[in-house]
Amino acid sequence: MLLGLLTLLAGIGQRTIWAPSETFTASAPADAAAAPLTVIDQKLRTLHGSTVKISVQGDGNFMLATGRPDDVSAWVGQTAHNTINGVSGDGKSLQVEHADGDATAPNPAGSDLWVSTENASGELEYNWTPPADGDWSLLLASDGTKAAPASVSMTFQNDTSTPWAVPLMVIGGLLVVGGIVLGLMFARTKDGEGGGSGYARRARARSQAQSPTKATMVAAGVAAVVLAGSGTAAQAASPSPQPSGSASSPAAKDGTGSPVVLEAQFRRILEQVSSATDAGDAAKDAAKLGDRVAGPELEVRTQNYKIRSQVGSYEPRMPVRSTKLLTTVITSGRDWPRSVLAVTQGDGNVVPQILTLVQKSPRENYKLTETTPLQPGTTLPTLGRGGTQTLAPSDKSGLLYSGEEAMSGLADRLTSADSPFKDKLVEGSSSPYIADTLSYQAEVVKAGENGNFSFTHKVVPESTVVFRTSDGGALVLGRINFGFEGTPKAAGDKLSIGDDAAALAGGKETTTGMVLSFAESMAVYVPPAGSTDPMKLVAATRGLVGASFK
């Protein structure tokens, strides 16, 4: 009975005075090396299968950013940093690994890689929850030049299960009951020892010797059964550890194959691009485009501003809108450069236009490189919104033509009315870009009494971007340089140019010759391999970017 009471109390104690705490907190060592960046590894978020609370204390302003592990690693690059990647065996300390490298980094604030950021001054309390499926890491930094806050602690849910509590209480109870039963049996035996023959007394003695043994064996057997059952129940109540993250495949977990930006992240980027272009358009000042416009679009808009400052009737570039987002096309390729598309139609957009945004490297933001209005009467081919595959311009796998071949064919088609691609690349009946271009070139040649004129359309290879469409085809986007040269037929003949070109050339007439340059932004649909359909021009525009005299 005494043994039973002690066992019973031990089981109750596991549920009360010895019960583990519901949470435990681990802190970063005070002697950890200083570094401008601190990475918090994604595996800590799911270490105990519930929300992790992070507390940070530091001097001045700092930020905590959320990003895919590969994105965080790419942004950190060769900068010296600390990585919090585990918890000590006693649960009191965070394990911190230091990596040497560059002493400073750019300020990570405002990077397009971050899905979300938390800004703080002095201290921060943060509940770490994933913004979407898969693994997510955190980046802690001040401004990239100062050391990241060193006082970091993380509070985890503790394992409060007590698998031995119920078995001990059951065993203790059985032992107490067994002790009472044995005591009663012993008392009855004493009462009957006074009478009966020697044979009866010997029989009773054997019975007395066996009864305690059997009773004890029964109690032990019951206890073993209960213990086994309780152990099974405890095992069932404590599921085996599961891999971190909620995605079903390693590719989805580490970010590989996932869209490079989430929908909300994309909208934020697009709003910033729209704001920058609005500011530049309103002031006719390319400096206000900031770091959000680059490539052909920066060149076209810069020259458009210059012309409009001298020629009030010159048509402005179509505005960039973010409010009416018709669709997005987001690559699932994790390498750089990364390209994404938006199709928008807001105020000032007569037709929807394709916006091409490119991120050249991890530490650069997405920049608008081309705006390409859809041809009237043309619809954009269907592209997957959950992460679209991008192809190298030379990759022809599964396609009727590679991206390079499609753009080269289009350039040849725009240059010559008798191009071999005449029947391989078509427009809709209400999409006149190719026809209008060929007609314009023919009319200039016919009307040029005093000059000889020639036209070229040359692909800019580095601008070509290829997205796989849902039907196995591809949407190819890129830039073609449209060159227009004129030379007087005879000495003394003069060639005249329009007011728009004159604003760039510095004059309207020349006796030596002239060169005009246009940037053409194009989008071509390429059917899948085996198709008998021709390629189709779905979006196109041009902008004057240069004019000079020979």
Side-chain angles (χ1 to χ4, degrees):
M1 288 180 65
L2 179 59
L3 180 60
L5 287 172
L6 292 174
T7 305
L8 180 62
L9 289 173
I12 296 173
Q14 286 206 358
R15 287 290 184 90
T16 55
I17 58 176
W18 298 319
S21 60
E22 293 184 355
T23 62
F24 72 94
T25 298
S27 301
D31 58 353
L37 306 173
T38 295
V39 177
I40 301 179
D41 194 284
Q42 77 274 4
K43 64 186 177 184
L44 291 176
R45 181 179 62 80
T46 55
L47 186 63
H48 289 276
S50 58
T51 300
V52 179
K53 295 182 179 180
I54 301 176
S55 297
V56 181
Q57 292 184 338
D59 296 330
N61 298 325
F62 58 87
M63 60 163 288
L64 187 68
T66 302
R68 292 287 188 188
D70 59 332
D71 286 347
V72 173
S73 178
W75 196 95
V76 170
Q78 300 301 313
T79 303
H81 62 281
N82 291 322
T83 302
I84 301 175
N85 56 12
V87 179
S88 61
D90 61 7
K92 295 181 179 180
S93 299
L94 294 171
Q95 295 174 340
V96 180
E97 181 179 343
H98 179 76
D100 291 327
D102 298 337
T104 62
N107 193 333
S111 171
D112 286 344
L113 289 185
W114 316 140
V115 176
S116 62
T117 56
E118 296 288 333
N119 298 307
S121 178
E123 60 181 357
L124 172 67
E125 297 289 331
Y126 176 71
N127 290 328
W128 190 5
T129 56
D133 287 347
D135 283 340
W136 299 90
S137 293
L138 300 178
L139 179 69
L140 178 64
S142 54
D143 62 357
T145 60
K146 302 175 184 176
S151 179
V152 181
S153 62
M154 303 178 70
T155 300
F156 303 88
Q157 291 294 317
N158 199 12
D159 182 5
T160 58
S161 61
T162 52
W164 280 99
V166 173
L168 288 174
M169 287 187 284
V170 172
I171 293 171
L174 290 174
L175 289 175
V176 170
V177 172
I180 294 173
V181 171
L182 290 176
L184 292 174
M185 292 177 66
F186 182 75
R188 287 178 58 192
T189 301
K190 285 292 185 180
D191 291 341
E193 283 182 350
S197 64
Y199 176 80
R201 286 195 299 271
R202 287 194 299 273
R204 285 196 298 271
R206 286 196 298 272
S207 177
Q208 291 165 5
Q210 293 173 0
S211 295
T213 303
K214 290 180 178 179
T216 304
M217 290 176 64
V218 170
V222 172
V225 171
V226 172
L227 179 59
S230 299
T232 302
Q235 185 178 8
S238 302
S240 59
Q242 298 295 319
S244 62
S246 55
S248 58
S249 67
K253 283 178 56 183
D254 64 14
T256 305
S258 302
V260 293
V261 292
L262 300 184
E263 188 75 19
Q265 193 177 358
F266 190 97
R267 287 183 178 274
R268 184 187 72 226
I269 294 168
L270 189 57
E271 286 172 0
Q272 293 177 3
V273 169
S274 177
S275 296
T277 54
D278 279 350
D281 292 351
K284 301 176 187 176
D285 183 0
K288 293 186 179 296
L289 297 176
D291 63 349
R292 284 301 185 179
V293 183
E297 194 62 29
L298 177 60
E299 185 179 1
V300 170
R301 272 188 149 74
T302 299
Q303 298 298 69
N304 183 276
Y305 298 159
K306 186 175 181 180
I307 296 171
R308 287 170 55 209
S309 66
Q310 300 180 45
V311 183
S313 60
Y314 192 69
E315 186 175 356
R317 194 73 168 171
M318 187 178 289
V320 175
R321 301 302 185 204
S322 62
T323 52
K324 190 177 180 181
L325 182 59
L326 302 181
T327 190
T328 60
V329 181
I330 301 172
T331 179
S332 56
R334 309 296 300 181
D335 295 330
W336 281 271
R338 294 174 174 179
S339 300
V340 295
L341 304 181
V343 181
T344 66
Q345 186 176 17
D347 293 340
N349 299 147
V350 180
V351 294
Q353 66 173 339
I354 304 173
L355 309 177
T356 304
L357 291 86
V358 177
Q359 185 184 38
K360 286 190 174 182
S361 66
R363 287 181 174 177
E364 292 183 79
N365 282 340
Y366 282 93
K367 298 180 181 181
L368 178 67
T369 59
E370 291 185 271
T371 61
T372 315
L374 288 179
Q375 288 283 275
T378 302
T379 58
L380 193 70
T382 304
L383 296 104
R385 298 189 63 185
T388 301
Q389 180 187 10
T390 53
L391 303 176
S394 60
D395 191 348
K396 193 178 177 180
S397 57
L399 298 175
L400 203 58
Y401 301 96
S402 69
E404 286 179 349
E405 292 172 334
M407 292 300 292
S408 295
L410 174 59
D412 189 74
R413 177 80 177 97
L414 290 167
T415 303
S416 172
D418 297 323
S419 167
F421 281 85
K422 180 177 181 179
D423 298 324
K424 298 176 182 178
L425 198 154
V426 301
E427 296 178 294
S429 59
S430 59
S431 304
Y433 189 87
I434 294 176
D436 284 355
T437 300
L438 292 172
S439 176
Y440 165 72
Q441 293 171 175
E443 289 176 1
V444 168
V445 171
K446 183 178 179 179
E449 297 179 356
N450 299 329
N452 296 315
F453 300 98
S454 63
F455 309 91
T456 57
H457 296 264
K458 296 181 179 180
V459 178
V460 180
E462 60 271 19
S463 69
T464 303
V465 180
V466 184
F467 290 90
R468 181 79 74 179
T469 56
S470 298
D471 64 356
L475 181 66
V476 182
L477 300 101
R479 171 177 173 170
I480 293 176
N481 284 338
F482 176 16
F484 175 2
E485 291 193 31
T487 304
K489 286 184 177 180
D493 286 345
K494 292 182 179 181
L495 300 181
S496 298
I497 57 177
D499 291 341
D500 53 351
L504 301 180
K508 292 197 64 174
E509 293 183 336
T510 176
T511 57
T512 57
M514 56 83 177
V515 177
L516 304 183
S517 300
F518 300 85
E520 294 180 302
S521 294
M522 319 298 281
V524 179
Y525 167 70
V526 178
S531 174
T532 58
D533 294 332
M535 295 184 291
K536 187 175 183 180
L537 181 66
V538 296
T541 191
R542 76 168 66 100
L544 180 63
V545 294
S548 61
F549 297 135
K550 293 182 178 181

